[in-house]
Amino acid sequence: MDHSAASLTLSQTALAGAASGILAGTTLLTLEGELPVEFLTPGDRIITRRGVRVLAQVTGRTVSDFAAVEILPGTLGHDRPGRALVIGADQPVLVRDWRAQALYGAAQAMVPAHRLADGHYIRRVTLAQAQVFTLTFTTGETVYAEGVELGFPAAVPA
């Protein structure tokens, strides 16, 4: 599967697995400022890598034994994330540093979070219980969560 910048739009759909999503308390950039994901509602204007996009749907669920990844502050460069970030192990993360080159031979790549785990700065964890949210837009988008670029696929037509 091609994970280069040219394929960032819908290759995200293939990457989003059962253990994808962001945890309650994680802040995202919106036109109203940084807001915790649990306060978002359809119609909110989210700042994405491609500009401002309207959130079509936000889905929350409580999950037991949730496979997650913890990314320590500053691990992804330029103070990203600003504080520890815990996301689903399958959550697509846009990397634009040596990791993209090392893993995919590209300047940037959309990578499932668990592929970035090094056991120290990025660690796999299992949460006994977690409130997990997924975002849906009309097109695939990359949002800023705690300063980290996370991919969410487009809504699937009914």
Side-chain angles (χ1 to χ4, degrees):
M1 178 184 302
D2 180 11
H3 296 283
S4 65
S7 69
L8 290 178
T9 49
L10 260 291
S11 66
Q12 295 168 4
T13 301
L15 288 173
S20 63
I22 55 181
L23 275 63
T26 303
T27 60
L28 280 82
L29 285 180
T30 75
L31 280 185
E32 287 73 38
E34 289 184 298
L35 291 176
V37 65
E38 63 269 26
F39 294 145
L40 299 177
T41 59
D44 282 346
R45 297 170 297 168
I46 309 299
I47 297 172
T48 75
R49 192 158 202 267
R50 297 187 315 142
V52 176
R53 297 293 184 262
V54 174
L55 182 61
Q57 183 177 0
V58 58
T59 305
R61 66 193 193 280
T62 301
V63 181
S64 297
D65 298 322
F66 185 64
V69 170
E70 178 184 31
I71 304 171
L72 296 182
T75 299
L76 298 178
H78 304 292
D79 298 324
R80 293 181 300 133
R83 64 182 182 117
L85 173 65
V86 181
I87 56 178
D90 294 333
Q91 178 60 49
V93 177
L94 179 63
V95 290
R96 297 183 289 142
D97 61 7
W98 63 268
R99 292 169 188 89
Q101 190 64 45
L103 290 169
Y104 295 104
Q108 57 186 9
M110 192 64 77
V111 181
H114 68 88
R115 292 287 313 270
L116 300 172
D118 61 13
H120 184 68
Y121 299 104
I122 303 175
R123 302 181 285 229
R124 292 178 188 232
V125 295
T126 300
L127 304 176
Q129 190 168 33
Q131 189 175 10
V132 182
F133 293 84
T134 55
L135 308 177
T136 305
F137 298 90
T138 56
T139 58
E141 298 295 342
T142 302
V143 303
Y144 298 96
E146 306 294 346
V148 175
E149 296 166 298
L150 303 180
F152 287 92
V156 178

